[in-house]
Amino acid sequence: MRSPLRSRRWFAGDDEVALANRAAVRSLGIELKTDEDRPVIGIANSASDLNPCNHGLTALAEAVKRGIWAAGGIPLEFPTISLGEELMKPSAMLYRNLMAMDVEECLRAHPLDGVVLLGNCDKTIPAQLMAAASADLPAIQVSGGTRRPGVFRGRRLAGPTDLWRFWEQRRAGELDDETWAAAEACLGCSLGACNSMGTAATMSLLTEALGMMLPGTGAITADDPRRAEAAEASGRRIVELVAGDVRPSSILTPAAFDNAIAVLAAIGGSTNAVIHLCAIAGRRGIELPLARFAELGRRVPMIVDVEPSGHALIDAFDAAGALPAVQAEIAEHLHLGVRTVGTAPLAEVLAGAAGRSAGGVIRPRADALFASGGIAVARGSLAPDGAIMKVSAASPALLRLRGRAVVFRGYEDLQARIDDPDLDVTPESVLVIAGCGPIGVPGMPEWGMAPIPRKLARQGVRDMARVTDGRMSGTSFGTVLLHAAPEAAAGGPIGLLRDGDVIDWDIPAGRADVLLSDDELAARRATAEPYRSPHLRGWPRLYQEHVMQAPDGCDLDFLRAPTPAHLRFVEPVVGRS
Ligand code: FES
């Protein structure tokens, strides 16, 4: 028999507290009976004018409400903070954990039996999943979908992937003022998430792969009426999940994370997803070492031909069969017995999608774009705790190299010197962008895809080796070794590098070294200036004191679940406020 609804602790009974709680809801026009057995469902809405990618979520919330009412539940929508990748500085990543706390604490503090999570832009879905994993109330994710592509001089634009390309051309002196201004009008032409396989699209698909989103819905574009249908269906479904007491803990299992990692490899997804998956898993006490990404990444071919690793955009991917078609193609690498928020077993979903991937945007395994997954893991004296590279969007000729370092310390140093005509750099150099990690900025911004020095860009150089302790946009491309851990601010070797040091890496072999002796590294470390934060108050201070490194998902140490006791979501005392 099902346990009593959690919301009954607020609303059932005859005392003044229950009456006051029922009266509060009645002021919204919703009458609750003392013997009510209808689940109260929260709708966590991260819509905001400050985040155009999430703007459409308010309309979807109405569709979710229709579904909840129709299934016999009571919807209560609440706002959360919103993390917009474009306007929020230094990086929305600084605030992902804050949003996760916001959502978790809203769930804890209120009379909710389940929740529908409305997210879209890069960090909002991971934050909501982290919260759902910690709260462990029945939950279902709905994403807002990708924006319609702008058409620029006859070509459909991948935003912001094409922005990076335009910027490269502009820096090389190949793009005039008129074209640059015209591109601006076209890049921001509709609401929704980035329409290439950036972090937002990747995380939407990985949420589906984890089993926390209705199957086949992760790639529906923002303006497609099927998205409202998916939202309404999710509203209906969450009521059933509450009735069945289906909680994230029964869905977010090690097998589910393996499935997500396999899908990440197959779709050529964003490197940022590695951090987010580690963070979500950590909330359930599940370790996801980088070695697991490397292992599954080697086995699973990349079969999705979408920007920035391929050619098409997300709308074409959706038309080609979307995630179920990908999963059907790589089914041999998936755990098909996992539980999901859907009504049908995964094997049944994939049986209906099998064979839809012949040619085009989703390729058959035999015709993969890349024999192994899109993301490789490397470690060595340059990154003892590991680093990752999106090899599917890198230059094959740069995956094995030995080159001299040109070192930049932070974004301002990079901006100040990258175009200096006297910069001692050649196409064979390795640009080092240090001081961009989780602690160092703080927030680990996407500063890793440093531009090609202008004097080289004007010679036609379009890619060169780069290494950073920061991140790069999921919509970006280039040979960039990312998330080098430990970061400079935590004493990592990347912070000890000097111009002219020799970097030697073999990414396919999983190795990334700086050719310095241990004694030399120790001597430099002994005289290095320790990182001193200017942040003495507020969230940045709390973040810097507790943030973990990239291989641990950049979560705060006290939010992870090192022991079963830490998994326990302590219910509030429901009495007078
Ligand atoms: Fe929001 Fe890309 S900037 S999804």
Side-chain angles (χ1 to χ4, degrees):
M1 198 179 77
R2 191 186 76 184
S3 55
L5 291 170
R6 178 175 182 262
S7 58
R8 296 293 83 209
R9 294 183 56 228
W10 275 258
F11 298 125
D14 197 28
D15 62 16
E16 88 291 8
V17 175
L19 184 141
N21 292 342
R22 290 195 299 272
V25 177
R26 199 159 189 172
S27 66
L28 300 172
I30 299 170
E31 183 180 359
L32 292 170
K33 305 281 192 307
T34 52
D35 58 350
E36 193 77 77
D37 200 28
R38 300 167 70 192
V40 181
I41 307 295
I43 303 173
N45 187 357
S46 57
S48 166
D49 284 355
L50 295 173
N51 181 3
C53 307
N54 287 29
H55 206 272
L57 295 179
T58 297
L60 289 184
E62 294 306 314
V64 173
K65 285 179 188 171
R66 284 198 299 274
I68 294 171
W69 284 122
I74 295 169
L76 293 180
E77 180 184 351
F78 60 94
T80 70
I81 58 170
S82 190
L83 313 179
E85 210 56 32
E86 282 149 334
L87 301 179
M88 198 168 211
K89 306 297 175 192
S91 168
M93 184 66 178
L94 171 59
Y95 300 100
R96 184 202 61 181
N97 300 340
L98 183 63
M99 181 174 177
M101 288 172 73
D102 175 9
V103 176
E104 179 183 344
E105 297 307 323
C106 275
L107 297 180
R108 184 201 311 278
H110 292 101
L112 301 173
D113 299 302
V115 63
V116 179
L117 305 160
L118 297 183
N120 212 31
C121 197
D122 297 17
K123 309 299 179 296
T124 53
I125 290 179
Q128 290 174 331
L129 288 179
M130 290 161 73
S134 293
D136 202 27
L137 299 180
I140 191 167
Q141 181 81 51
V142 174
S143 61
T146 53
R147 66 187 73 142
R148 185 169 8 96
V151 179
F152 183 72
R153 298 182 179 172
R155 192 164 69 81
R156 282 156 43 92
L157 289 186
T161 306
D162 275 310
L163 169 62
W164 315 132
R165 291 195 183 107
F166 286 141
W167 181 228
E168 278 187 358
Q169 291 168 13
R170 177 100 171 142
R171 290 172 51 76
E174 298 167 0
L175 206 72
D176 59 31
D177 291 348
E178 189 192 346
T179 309
W180 183 237
E184 176 183 331
C186 215
L187 278 164
C189 61
S190 68
L191 297 172
C194 297
N195 54 24
S196 56
M197 195 62 81
T199 305
T202 299
M203 288 311 302
S204 185
L205 295 174
L206 295 192
T207 305
E208 191 181 324
L210 283 168
M212 291 295 293
M213 182 184 288
L214 289 182
T217 64
I220 301 171
T221 54
D223 59 358
D224 188 322
R226 289 180 302 135
R227 184 146 286 291
E229 290 171 16
E232 187 171 330
S234 300
R236 283 194 302 273
R237 185 64 183 145
I238 187 66
V239 175
E240 296 169 353
L241 294 175
V242 171
D245 199 25
V246 179
R247 295 169 184 261
S249 52
S250 67
I251 296 172
L252 296 174
T253 60
F257 284 99
D258 273 0
N259 285 354
I261 294 171
V263 164
L264 175 63
I267 64 176
S270 166
T271 46
N272 291 320
V274 176
I275 293 178
H276 298 318
L277 286 177
C278 291
I280 299 162
R283 294 299 185 97
R284 294 301 323 153
I286 298 169
E287 290 296 329
L288 281 192
L290 289 181
R292 192 69 184 142
F293 288 86
E295 187 187 339
L296 288 171
R298 270 193 298 273
R299 279 194 233 148
V300 181
M302 195 189 110
I303 58 171
V304 172
D305 189 7
V306 169
E307 293 258 26
S309 298
H311 301 89
L313 300 179
I314 294 294
D315 56 349
F317 171 75
D318 186 40
L323 189 66
V326 174
Q327 290 171 306
E329 200 58 42
I330 61 163
E332 64 184 298
H333 301 291
L334 301 178
H335 302 278
L336 299 182
V338 291
R339 185 172 218 173
T340 76
V341 295
T343 51
L346 181 57
E348 204 175 294
V349 172
L350 302 196
R356 287 167 62 188
S357 63
V361 180
I362 302 171
R363 304 263 194 96
R365 291 185 302 283
D367 186 27
L369 280 97
F370 224 69
S372 59
I375 295 175
V377 176
R379 71 179 73 231
S381 56
L382 185 57
D385 293 340
I388 64 174
M389 181 184 286
K390 190 169 191 171
V391 288
S392 58
S395 300
L398 296 175
L399 297 182
R400 293 181 178 88
L401 65 77
R402 182 173 285 200
R404 295 198 172 275
V406 178
V407 180
F408 300 92
R409 301 193 192 284
Y411 189 72
E412 283 157 338
D413 184 31
L414 180 75
Q415 292 291 97
R417 296 194 296 119
I418 188 73
D419 291 333
D420 184 340
D422 295 328
L423 186 70
D424 186 11
V425 64
T426 72
E428 293 74 34
S429 300
V430 180
L431 304 182
V432 178
I433 310 99
C436 309
I439 298 171
V441 178
M444 205 181 181
E446 294 175 342
W447 295 346
M449 67 280 201
I452 305 299
R454 196 185 303 267
K455 68 180 184 184
L456 298 183
R458 291 198 160 153
Q459 293 167 21
V461 176
R462 287 291 174 268
D463 191 14
M464 59 190 298
R466 285 155 277 183
V467 58
T468 181
D469 49 5
R471 297 178 299 118
M472 115 175 157
S473 166
T475 58
S476 192
F477 47 84
T479 309
V480 193
L481 188 63
L482 300 154
H483 311 179
E487 63 171 303
I494 191 168
L496 305 175
L497 299 186
R498 296 174 185 164
D499 287 344
D501 288 343
V502 178
I503 289 172
D504 181 294
W505 73 41
D506 183 338
I507 302 300
R511 184 178 59 73
D513 291 311
V514 54
L515 301 187
L516 293 172
S517 66
D518 290 347
D519 287 348
E520 174 62 19
L521 279 171
R524 289 188 190 184
R525 186 168 285 115
T527 58
E529 275 285 306
Y531 171 74
R532 282 187 223 294
S533 173
H535 296 282
L536 301 179
R537 65 190 303 273
W539 173 254
R541 176 173 179 163
L542 185 67
Y543 182 89
Q544 286 186 315
E545 288 176 354
H546 293 280
V547 71
M548 304 168 85
Q549 292 290 288
D552 288 320
C554 299
D555 202 357
L556 303 189
D557 51 12
F558 59 83
L559 293 173
R560 277 175 76 101
T563 71
H566 288 86
L567 288 172
R568 198 159 63 87
F569 179 77
V570 179
E571 291 285 357
V573 174
V574 181
R576 290 186 189 176
S577 298

